[in-house]
Amino acid sequence: MIEIEDAKFMETVGRTVRDFRQAKNLTQEQLGDIVGLSQSAVAKIERGKVSISVARLRVVALLCRMKVSDLLRKAEAEEVFWEDKGPSEAD
């Protein structure tokens, strides 16, 4: 059960990273250059296939002029939204 919850959280964090990247008008490649990852690694993070390190998440948060805790809080709030609504109802 924890593995499923971890996977869901990784997907939510990935969506949050994607949302902030898009809000800054950055491509995956540009964000990757900033945080030291390849474009394909950024794509995997955004899809929730791999987790992002705390150090790299901090760079994303700084880029967005946020604290890491605020970024994670947003991800947690979105996770609750998806659990309440489900993906089909949220669209």
Side-chain angles (χ1 to χ4, degrees):
M1 188 65 145
I2 291 176
E3 288 179 17
I4 292 170
E5 290 175 8
D6 288 346
K8 286 181 184 179
F9 187 69
M10 282 175 36
E11 289 174 12
T12 304
V13 169
R15 278 194 302 271
T16 302
V17 169
R18 181 200 62 218
D19 292 347
F20 283 114
R21 175 184 61 77
Q22 291 174 340
K24 292 291 182 182
N25 295 314
L26 295 171
T27 65
Q28 290 176 339
E29 185 175 5
Q30 290 169 324
L31 179 61
D33 288 344
I34 292 167
V35 299
L37 295 169
S38 67
Q39 176 275 325
S40 62
V42 172
K44 289 176 185 176
I45 289 166
E46 289 183 357
R47 290 193 317 271
K49 301 301 178 192
V50 297
S51 61
I52 185 170
S53 72
V54 173
R56 289 193 167 109
L57 190 60
R58 182 175 177 269
V59 173
V60 172
L62 289 172
L63 179 64
C64 298
R65 297 187 176 172
M66 301 179 74
K67 295 177 182 177
V68 173
S69 58
D70 293 336
L71 197 147
L72 290 174
R73 218 173 273 117
K74 182 188 180 320
E76 287 179 331
E78 183 180 319
E79 187 176 40
V80 170
F81 172 79
W82 282 103
E83 287 176 4
D84 290 346
K85 298 267 184 190
S88 60
E89 293 178 46
D91 295 331

